[in-house]
PDB file of all heavy atoms in Angstrom:
ATOM      1  N   MET E   1      13.836 -26.292  -3.669  1.00  0.00           N
ATOM      2  CA  MET E   1      12.939 -26.436  -2.537  1.00  0.00           C
ATOM      3  C   MET E   1      12.045 -27.618  -2.721  1.00  0.00           C
ATOM      4  O   MET E   1      11.684 -28.022  -3.797  1.00  0.00           O
ATOM      5  CB  MET E   1      11.960 -25.170  -2.381  1.00  0.00           C
ATOM      6  CG  MET E   1      12.844 -23.867  -2.187  1.00  0.00           C
ATOM      7  SD  MET E   1      11.608 -22.545  -1.879  1.00  0.00           S
ATOM      8  CE  MET E   1      10.797 -22.436  -3.471  1.00  0.00           C
ATOM      9  N   GLY E   2      11.660 -28.213  -1.532  1.00  0.00           N
ATOM     10  CA  GLY E   2      10.624 -29.207  -1.663  1.00  0.00           C
ATOM     11  C   GLY E   2       9.335 -28.472  -1.192  1.00  0.00           C
ATOM     12  O   GLY E   2       9.179 -27.287  -1.184  1.00  0.00           O
ATOM     13  N   PRO E   3       8.310 -29.314  -0.883  1.00  0.00           N
ATOM     14  CA  PRO E   3       7.050 -28.695  -0.446  1.00  0.00           C
ATOM     15  C   PRO E   3       7.143 -28.176   0.966  1.00  0.00           C
ATOM     16  O   PRO E   3       8.238 -28.443   1.677  1.00  0.00           O
ATOM     17  CB  PRO E   3       6.033 -29.845  -0.423  1.00  0.00           C
ATOM     18  CG  PRO E   3       6.920 -31.016  -0.142  1.00  0.00           C
ATOM     19  CD  PRO E   3       8.246 -30.770  -0.815  1.00  0.00           C
ATOM     20  N   LEU E   4       6.173 -27.421   1.488  1.00  0.00           N
ATOM     21  CA  LEU E   4       6.164 -27.127   2.887  1.00  0.00           C
ATOM     22  C   LEU E   4       5.897 -28.492   3.662  1.00  0.00           C
ATOM     23  O   LEU E   4       5.482 -29.440   3.070  1.00  0.00           O
ATOM     24  CB  LEU E   4       5.128 -26.101   3.162  1.00  0.00           C
ATOM     25  CG  LEU E   4       5.590 -24.603   3.222  1.00  0.00           C
ATOM     26  CD1 LEU E   4       6.121 -24.261   1.685  1.00  0.00           C
ATOM     27  CD2 LEU E   4       4.628 -23.632   3.605  1.00  0.00           C
ATOM     28  N   SER E   5       6.078 -28.428   4.935  1.00  0.00           N
ATOM     29  CA  SER E   5       5.993 -29.601   5.726  1.00  0.00           C
ATOM     30  C   SER E   5       4.585 -30.362   5.766  1.00  0.00           C
ATOM     31  O   SER E   5       4.532 -31.494   6.050  1.00  0.00           O
ATOM     32  CB  SER E   5       6.397 -29.304   7.164  1.00  0.00           C
ATOM     33  OG  SER E   5       5.522 -28.474   7.825  1.00  0.00           O
ATOM     34  N   SER E   6       3.638 -29.543   5.530  1.00  0.00           N
ATOM     35  CA  SER E   6       2.222 -30.078   5.610  1.00  0.00           C
ATOM     36  C   SER E   6       1.306 -29.153   4.867  1.00  0.00           C
ATOM     37  O   SER E   6       1.614 -27.978   4.588  1.00  0.00           O
ATOM     38  CB  SER E   6       1.797 -30.309   7.028  1.00  0.00           C
ATOM     39  OG  SER E   6       1.656 -29.006   7.568  1.00  0.00           O
ATOM     40  N   PHE E   7       0.087 -29.689   4.599  1.00  0.00           N
ATOM     41  CA  PHE E   7      -0.918 -28.767   3.936  1.00  0.00           C
ATOM     42  C   PHE E   7      -1.429 -27.795   4.959  1.00  0.00           C
ATOM     43  O   PHE E   7      -1.718 -26.707   4.495  1.00  0.00           O
ATOM     44  CB  PHE E   7      -2.055 -29.672   3.382  1.00  0.00           C
ATOM     45  CG  PHE E   7      -1.586 -30.614   2.188  1.00  0.00           C
ATOM     46  CD1 PHE E   7      -1.124 -31.959   2.551  1.00  0.00           C
ATOM     47  CD2 PHE E   7      -1.566 -30.157   0.951  1.00  0.00           C
ATOM     48  CE1 PHE E   7      -0.750 -32.684   1.460  1.00  0.00           C
ATOM     49  CE2 PHE E   7      -1.211 -30.900  -0.124  1.00  0.00           C
ATOM     50  CZ  PHE E   7      -0.798 -32.226   0.043  1.00  0.00           C
ATOM     51  N   GLU E   8      -1.357 -28.108   6.157  1.00  0.00           N
ATOM     52  CA  GLU E   8      -1.776 -27.120   7.174  1.00  0.00           C
ATOM     53  C   GLU E   8      -0.761 -25.923   7.153  1.00  0.00           C
ATOM     54  O   GLU E   8      -1.127 -24.805   7.342  1.00  0.00           O
ATOM     55  CB  GLU E   8      -1.800 -27.650   8.550  1.00  0.00           C
ATOM     56  CG  GLU E   8      -3.025 -28.747   8.708  1.00  0.00           C
ATOM     57  CD  GLU E   8      -2.660 -30.151   8.021  1.00  0.00           C
ATOM     58  OE1 GLU E   8      -1.491 -30.353   7.661  1.00  0.00           O
ATOM     59  OE2 GLU E   8      -3.632 -30.888   8.085  1.00  0.00           O
ATOM     60  N   GLN E   9       0.520 -26.338   7.066  1.00  0.00           N
ATOM     61  CA  GLN E   9       1.502 -25.242   7.147  1.00  0.00           C
ATOM     62  C   GLN E   9       1.322 -24.333   5.863  1.00  0.00           C
ATOM     63  O   GLN E   9       1.577 -23.123   5.870  1.00  0.00           O
ATOM     64  CB  GLN E   9       2.869 -25.758   7.229  1.00  0.00           C
ATOM     65  CG  GLN E   9       4.041 -24.782   7.090  1.00  0.00           C
ATOM     66  CD  GLN E   9       3.992 -23.870   8.366  1.00  0.00           C
ATOM     67  OE1 GLN E   9       3.519 -24.337   9.382  1.00  0.00           O
ATOM     68  NE2 GLN E   9       4.589 -22.648   8.286  1.00  0.00           N
ATOM     69  N   MET E  10       1.050 -24.891   4.729  1.00  0.00           N
ATOM     70  CA  MET E  10       0.885 -24.235   3.476  1.00  0.00           C
ATOM     71  C   MET E  10      -0.317 -23.179   3.720  1.00  0.00           C
ATOM     72  O   MET E  10      -0.308 -21.989   3.299  1.00  0.00           O
ATOM     73  CB  MET E  10       0.556 -25.168   2.311  1.00  0.00           C
ATOM     74  CG  MET E  10       0.410 -24.401   0.960  1.00  0.00           C
ATOM     75  SD  MET E  10       0.224 -25.428  -0.454  1.00  0.00           S
ATOM     76  CE  MET E  10      -1.458 -26.224  -0.105  1.00  0.00           C
ATOM     77  N   ASP E  11      -1.422 -23.702   4.265  1.00  0.00           N
ATOM     78  CA  ASP E  11      -2.590 -22.845   4.481  1.00  0.00           C
ATOM     79  C   ASP E  11      -2.175 -21.691   5.286  1.00  0.00           C
ATOM     80  O   ASP E  11      -2.691 -20.593   5.074  1.00  0.00           O
ATOM     81  CB  ASP E  11      -3.694 -23.673   5.066  1.00  0.00           C
ATOM     82  CG  ASP E  11      -4.357 -24.645   4.061  1.00  0.00           C
ATOM     83  OD1 ASP E  11      -4.080 -24.414   2.835  1.00  0.00           O
ATOM     84  OD2 ASP E  11      -5.055 -25.624   4.460  1.00  0.00           O
ATOM     85  N   THR E  12      -1.427 -21.876   6.404  1.00  0.00           N
ATOM     86  CA  THR E  12      -1.023 -20.822   7.315  1.00  0.00           C
ATOM     87  C   THR E  12      -0.218 -19.758   6.621  1.00  0.00           C
ATOM     88  O   THR E  12      -0.513 -18.574   6.688  1.00  0.00           O
ATOM     89  CB  THR E  12      -0.202 -21.427   8.597  1.00  0.00           C
ATOM     90  OG1 THR E  12      -0.901 -22.336   9.120  1.00  0.00           O
ATOM     91  CG2 THR E  12       0.413 -20.336   9.371  1.00  0.00           C
ATOM     92  N   VAL E  13       0.721 -20.170   5.766  1.00  0.00           N
ATOM     93  CA  VAL E  13       1.468 -19.156   5.028  1.00  0.00           C
ATOM     94  C   VAL E  13       0.649 -18.407   4.025  1.00  0.00           C
ATOM     95  O   VAL E  13       0.700 -17.185   3.882  1.00  0.00           O
ATOM     96  CB  VAL E  13       2.690 -19.869   4.335  1.00  0.00           C
ATOM     97  CG1 VAL E  13       3.378 -18.751   3.472  1.00  0.00           C
ATOM     98  CG2 VAL E  13       3.695 -20.519   5.364  1.00  0.00           C
ATOM     99  N   LEU E  14      -0.281 -19.133   3.249  1.00  0.00           N
ATOM    100  CA  LEU E  14      -1.069 -18.324   2.274  1.00  0.00           C
ATOM    101  C   LEU E  14      -2.047 -17.429   3.052  1.00  0.00           C
ATOM    102  O   LEU E  14      -2.340 -16.354   2.496  1.00  0.00           O
ATOM    103  CB  LEU E  14      -1.931 -19.452   1.502  1.00  0.00           C
ATOM    104  CG  LEU E  14      -1.187 -20.347   0.606  1.00  0.00           C
ATOM    105  CD1 LEU E  14      -1.972 -21.470  -0.090  1.00  0.00           C
ATOM    106  CD2 LEU E  14      -0.417 -19.436  -0.510  1.00  0.00           C
ATOM    107  N   GLY E  15      -2.437 -17.795   4.165  1.00  0.00           N
ATOM    108  CA  GLY E  15      -3.384 -16.930   5.029  1.00  0.00           C
ATOM    109  C   GLY E  15      -2.534 -15.667   5.368  1.00  0.00           C
ATOM    110  O   GLY E  15      -3.145 -14.567   5.381  1.00  0.00           O
ATOM    111  N   GLN E  16      -1.304 -15.760   5.688  1.00  0.00           N
ATOM    112  CA  GLN E  16      -0.488 -14.566   6.158  1.00  0.00           C
ATOM    113  C   GLN E  16      -0.384 -13.643   4.920  1.00  0.00           C
ATOM    114  O   GLN E  16      -0.335 -12.486   5.027  1.00  0.00           O
ATOM    115  CB  GLN E  16       0.921 -15.093   6.670  1.00  0.00           C
ATOM    116  CG  GLN E  16       0.969 -15.725   8.055  1.00  0.00           C
ATOM    117  CD  GLN E  16       2.324 -16.113   8.424  1.00  0.00           C
ATOM    118  OE1 GLN E  16       2.932 -16.995   7.832  1.00  0.00           O
ATOM    119  NE2 GLN E  16       2.862 -15.506   9.503  1.00  0.00           N
ATOM    120  N   LEU E  17      -0.163 -14.316   3.835  1.00  0.00           N
ATOM    121  CA  LEU E  17       0.124 -13.432   2.678  1.00  0.00           C
ATOM    122  C   LEU E  17      -1.211 -12.766   2.219  1.00  0.00           C
ATOM    123  O   LEU E  17      -1.114 -11.542   1.783  1.00  0.00           O
ATOM    124  CB  LEU E  17       0.438 -14.388   1.469  1.00  0.00           C
ATOM    125  CG  LEU E  17       1.712 -15.076   1.630  1.00  0.00           C
ATOM    126  CD1 LEU E  17       2.076 -15.924   0.253  1.00  0.00           C
ATOM    127  CD2 LEU E  17       2.898 -14.118   1.852  1.00  0.00           C
ATOM    128  N   GLU E  18      -2.357 -13.332   2.430  1.00  0.00           N
ATOM    129  CA  GLU E  18      -3.743 -12.557   2.173  1.00  0.00           C
ATOM    130  C   GLU E  18      -3.744 -11.439   3.091  1.00  0.00           C
ATOM    131  O   GLU E  18      -4.286 -10.316   2.820  1.00  0.00           O
ATOM    132  CB  GLU E  18      -4.830 -13.496   2.328  1.00  0.00           C
ATOM    133  CG  GLU E  18      -4.937 -14.635   1.108  1.00  0.00           C
ATOM    134  CD  GLU E  18      -5.063 -13.883  -0.209  1.00  0.00           C
ATOM    135  OE1 GLU E  18      -5.670 -12.907  -0.358  1.00  0.00           O
ATOM    136  OE2 GLU E  18      -4.338 -14.292  -1.104  1.00  0.00           O
ATOM    137  N   GLU E  19      -3.387 -11.636   4.409  1.00  0.00           N
ATOM    138  CA  GLU E  19      -3.482 -10.516   5.349  1.00  0.00           C
ATOM    139  C   GLU E  19      -2.473  -9.485   4.940  1.00  0.00           C
ATOM    140  O   GLU E  19      -2.795  -8.176   5.052  1.00  0.00           O
ATOM    141  CB  GLU E  19      -3.142 -11.070   6.722  1.00  0.00           C
ATOM    142  CG  GLU E  19      -4.144 -11.996   7.316  1.00  0.00           C
ATOM    143  CD  GLU E  19      -3.712 -12.451   8.770  1.00  0.00           C
ATOM    144  OE1 GLU E  19      -2.653 -11.917   9.259  1.00  0.00           O
ATOM    145  OE2 GLU E  19      -4.478 -13.216   9.379  1.00  0.00           O
ATOM    146  N   ALA E  20      -1.338  -9.722   4.360  1.00  0.00           N
ATOM    147  CA  ALA E  20      -0.364  -8.705   4.076  1.00  0.00           C
ATOM    148  C   ALA E  20      -0.870  -7.938   2.935  1.00  0.00           C
ATOM    149  O   ALA E  20      -0.858  -6.779   2.937  1.00  0.00           O
ATOM    150  CB  ALA E  20       0.977  -9.410   3.676  1.00  0.00           C
ATOM    151  N   LYS E  21      -1.466  -8.648   1.980  1.00  0.00           N
ATOM    152  CA  LYS E  21      -2.030  -7.794   0.788  1.00  0.00           C
ATOM    153  C   LYS E  21      -3.145  -6.935   1.214  1.00  0.00           C
ATOM    154  O   LYS E  21      -3.370  -5.779   0.717  1.00  0.00           O
ATOM    155  CB  LYS E  21      -2.489  -8.812  -0.365  1.00  0.00           C
ATOM    156  CG  LYS E  21      -1.215  -9.443  -1.007  1.00  0.00           C
ATOM    157  CD  LYS E  21      -1.742 -10.235  -2.158  1.00  0.00           C
ATOM    158  CE  LYS E  21      -2.468 -11.583  -1.836  1.00  0.00           C
ATOM    159  NZ  LYS E  21      -2.776 -12.408  -3.034  1.00  0.00           N
ATOM    160  N   ALA E  22      -3.931  -7.442   2.224  1.00  0.00           N
ATOM    161  CA  ALA E  22      -5.117  -6.702   2.761  1.00  0.00           C
ATOM    162  C   ALA E  22      -4.651  -5.458   3.388  1.00  0.00           C
ATOM    163  O   ALA E  22      -5.280  -4.337   3.418  1.00  0.00           O
ATOM    164  CB  ALA E  22      -5.962  -7.399   3.519  1.00  0.00           C
ATOM    165  N   ALA E  23      -3.583  -5.482   3.932  1.00  0.00           N
ATOM    166  CA  ALA E  23      -2.870  -4.327   4.708  1.00  0.00           C
ATOM    167  C   ALA E  23      -2.173  -3.394   3.765  1.00  0.00           C
ATOM    168  O   ALA E  23      -1.715  -2.400   4.227  1.00  0.00           O
ATOM    169  CB  ALA E  23      -1.888  -4.854   5.704  1.00  0.00           C
ATOM    170  N   GLY E  24      -2.049  -3.855   2.569  1.00  0.00           N
ATOM    171  CA  GLY E  24      -1.490  -2.845   1.590  1.00  0.00           C
ATOM    172  C   GLY E  24      -0.094  -3.161   1.012  1.00  0.00           C
ATOM    173  O   GLY E  24       0.446  -2.538   0.155  1.00  0.00           O
ATOM    174  N   ALA E  25       0.384  -4.470   1.312  1.00  0.00           N
ATOM    175  CA  ALA E  25       1.684  -4.971   0.819  1.00  0.00           C
ATOM    176  C   ALA E  25       1.397  -5.337  -0.609  1.00  0.00           C
ATOM    177  O   ALA E  25       0.369  -5.843  -0.933  1.00  0.00           O
ATOM    178  CB  ALA E  25       2.222  -5.977   1.739  1.00  0.00           C
ATOM    179  N   THR E  26       2.528  -5.535  -1.318  1.00  0.00           N
ATOM    180  CA  THR E  26       2.542  -6.037  -2.622  1.00  0.00           C
ATOM    181  C   THR E  26       3.292  -7.351  -2.767  1.00  0.00           C
ATOM    182  O   THR E  26       4.380  -7.369  -2.201  1.00  0.00           O
ATOM    183  CB  THR E  26       3.223  -5.063  -3.683  1.00  0.00           C
ATOM    184  OG1 THR E  26       2.493  -3.851  -3.698  1.00  0.00           O
ATOM    185  CG2 THR E  26       3.229  -5.741  -5.121  1.00  0.00           C
ATOM    186  N   LEU E  27       2.576  -8.383  -3.150  1.00  0.00           N
ATOM    187  CA  LEU E  27       3.348  -9.747  -3.207  1.00  0.00           C
ATOM    188  C   LEU E  27       3.783 -10.023  -4.615  1.00  0.00           C
ATOM    189  O   LEU E  27       2.924  -9.968  -5.672  1.00  0.00           O
ATOM    190  CB  LEU E  27       2.350 -10.788  -2.777  1.00  0.00           C
ATOM    191  CG  LEU E  27       2.734 -12.304  -2.864  1.00  0.00           C
ATOM    192  CD1 LEU E  27       4.016 -12.504  -1.944  1.00  0.00           C
ATOM    193  CD2 LEU E  27       1.640 -13.297  -2.519  1.00  0.00           C
ATOM    194  N   ILE E  28       4.933 -10.322  -4.847  1.00  0.00           N
ATOM    195  CA  ILE E  28       5.529 -10.801  -6.180  1.00  0.00           C
ATOM    196  C   ILE E  28       5.836 -12.281  -5.989  1.00  0.00           C
ATOM    197  O   ILE E  28       6.742 -12.603  -5.176  1.00  0.00           O
ATOM    198  CB  ILE E  28       6.873  -9.981  -6.362  1.00  0.00           C
ATOM    199  CG1 ILE E  28       6.583  -8.477  -6.356  1.00  0.00           C
ATOM    200  CG2 ILE E  28       7.442 -10.445  -7.757  1.00  0.00           C
ATOM    201  CD1 ILE E  28       7.851  -7.559  -6.464  1.00  0.00           C
ATOM    202  N   GLY E  29       5.121 -13.071  -6.745  1.00  0.00           N
ATOM    203  CA  GLY E  29       5.337 -14.510  -6.642  1.00  0.00           C
ATOM    204  C   GLY E  29       4.679 -15.071  -5.554  1.00  0.00           C
ATOM    205  O   GLY E  29       3.576 -14.553  -5.041  1.00  0.00           O
ATOM    206  N   GLY E  30       5.162 -16.154  -4.777  1.00  0.00           N
ATOM    207  CA  GLY E  30       4.689 -16.540  -3.579  1.00  0.00           C
ATOM    208  C   GLY E  30       3.243 -17.346  -3.741  1.00  0.00           C
ATOM    209  O   GLY E  30       2.448 -17.179  -2.696  1.00  0.00           O
ATOM    210  N   GLU E  31       2.983 -17.919  -4.797  1.00  0.00           N
ATOM    211  CA  GLU E  31       1.730 -18.530  -5.005  1.00  0.00           C
ATOM    212  C   GLU E  31       1.714 -19.954  -4.761  1.00  0.00           C
ATOM    213  O   GLU E  31       2.842 -20.612  -4.983  1.00  0.00           O
ATOM    214  CB  GLU E  31       1.218 -18.184  -6.385  1.00  0.00           C
ATOM    215  CG  GLU E  31       1.037 -16.856  -6.794  1.00  0.00           C
ATOM    216  CD  GLU E  31       0.616 -16.507  -8.178  1.00  0.00           C
ATOM    217  OE1 GLU E  31       0.794 -17.415  -8.960  1.00  0.00           O
ATOM    218  OE2 GLU E  31       0.147 -15.385  -8.435  1.00  0.00           O
ATOM    219  N   ALA E  32       0.558 -20.523  -4.446  1.00  0.00           N
ATOM    220  CA  ALA E  32       0.495 -21.963  -4.284  1.00  0.00           C
ATOM    221  C   ALA E  32       0.644 -22.582  -5.694  1.00  0.00           C
ATOM    222  O   ALA E  32       0.092 -22.083  -6.631  1.00  0.00           O
ATOM    223  CB  ALA E  32      -0.857 -22.476  -3.746  1.00  0.00           C
ATOM    224  N   LEU E  33       1.404 -23.600  -5.867  1.00  0.00           N
ATOM    225  CA  LEU E  33       1.673 -24.198  -7.194  1.00  0.00           C
ATOM    226  C   LEU E  33       0.776 -25.320  -7.425  1.00  0.00           C
ATOM    227  O   LEU E  33       0.292 -25.952  -6.621  1.00  0.00           O
ATOM    228  CB  LEU E  33       3.174 -24.704  -7.179  1.00  0.00           C
ATOM    229  CG  LEU E  33       4.353 -23.717  -6.732  1.00  0.00           C
ATOM    230  CD1 LEU E  33       5.635 -24.273  -6.821  1.00  0.00           C
ATOM    231  CD2 LEU E  33       4.134 -22.579  -7.839  1.00  0.00           C
ATOM    232  N   PRO E  34       0.488 -25.539  -8.749  1.00  0.00           N
ATOM    233  CA  PRO E  34      -0.496 -26.609  -9.113  1.00  0.00           C
ATOM    234  C   PRO E  34       0.021 -27.961  -8.850  1.00  0.00           C
ATOM    235  O   PRO E  34       1.269 -28.201  -8.769  1.00  0.00           O
ATOM    236  CB  PRO E  34      -0.722 -26.335 -10.671  1.00  0.00           C
ATOM    237  CG  PRO E  34       0.636 -25.616 -10.965  1.00  0.00           C
ATOM    238  CD  PRO E  34       0.928 -24.763  -9.936  1.00  0.00           C
TER     239      PRO E  34
END
């Protein structure tokens, strides 16, 4: 994989993941890479 298309798109996805965890879901992996 390459990067996401933009930093804005990365922020959108990371925001969705935070909402999912707040709703009770478990996230395995899926982290922003250094």
Side-chain angles (χ1 to χ4, degrees):
M1 302 184 291
L4 270 65
S5 65
S6 66
F7 293 93
E8 291 78 9
Q9 182 61 26
M10 182 176 70
D11 289 342
T12 296
V13 173
L14 293 176
Q16 287 180 299
L17 297 182
E18 289 303 315
E19 289 182 6
K21 290 189 288 185
T26 297
L27 175 63
I28 305 168
E31 299 176 345
L33 302 182

